[in-house]
Amino acid sequence: QVQLVESGGGLVQAGGSLRLSCAASGHTSVPFLMGWFRQAPGKEREFVSEIIWSDGIPVYSGSVKGRFTISRDNAKNTVYLQMNTLKPEDTAVYYCALQLAGTATYQHWGQGTQVTVSS
């Protein structure tokens, strides 16, 4: 059974930084993509960033580009999201997601970690 375990959320002041981690386990095929999504209260879940597992090429949403950095550690099956210059509008539950090779969508999701940015 695939498991994604997130950590690193918390409360931070505007302008501060946080680093999220997501460790994947239990998958029997190679990851294709790992990504981060977020959902703020009363809003739809939105894409934040993803990384191509094989070559590390990142993709970012326009709202976080230049402030957030996604990276991965292949040996640890872990993806990271370094979040700098945080804004109150970044407040949300952040979810890690995994898309395995040979599939078309994200099938596996973490439980979410709360990020709260105070003004």
Side-chain angles (χ1 to χ4, degrees):
Q1 175 135 359
V2 176
Q3 278 195 314
L4 300 177
V5 179
E6 298 132 336
S7 60
L11 172 64
V12 65
Q13 288 189 329
S17 299
L18 283 173
R19 188 193 195 208
L20 305 183
S21 300
C22 173
S25 63
H27 51 284
T28 56
S29 57
V30 177
F32 172 55
L33 290 171
M34 285 195 76
W36 291 94
F37 293 74
R38 66 187 182 187
Q39 187 166 18
K43 295 189 176 181
E44 297 286 320
R45 185 177 297 187
E46 66 171 357
F47 169 79
V48 175
S49 179
E50 65 187 5
I51 189 164
I52 299 175
W53 198 253
S54 59
D55 54 20
I57 294 177
V59 177
Y60 300 99
S61 70
S63 62
V64 308
K65 194 170 186 178
R67 300 187 297 122
F68 291 11
T69 302
I70 191 170
S71 62
R72 90 272 191 249
D73 185 329
N74 296 54
K76 295 181 179 180
N77 285 319
T78 299
V79 64
Y80 305 96
L81 187 68
Q82 177 67 42
M83 305 185 294
N84 297 329
T85 320
L86 282 161
K87 305 175 181 179
E89 51 264 43
D90 294 318
T91 295
V93 177
Y94 283 69
Y95 297 92
C96 172
L98 168 65
Q99 180 178 334
L100 295 173
T103 63
T105 61
Y106 284 105
Q107 308 98 335
H108 306 287
W109 295 83
Q111 79 284 357
T113 185
Q114 177 69 46
V115 171
T116 302
V117 184
S118 63
S119 57

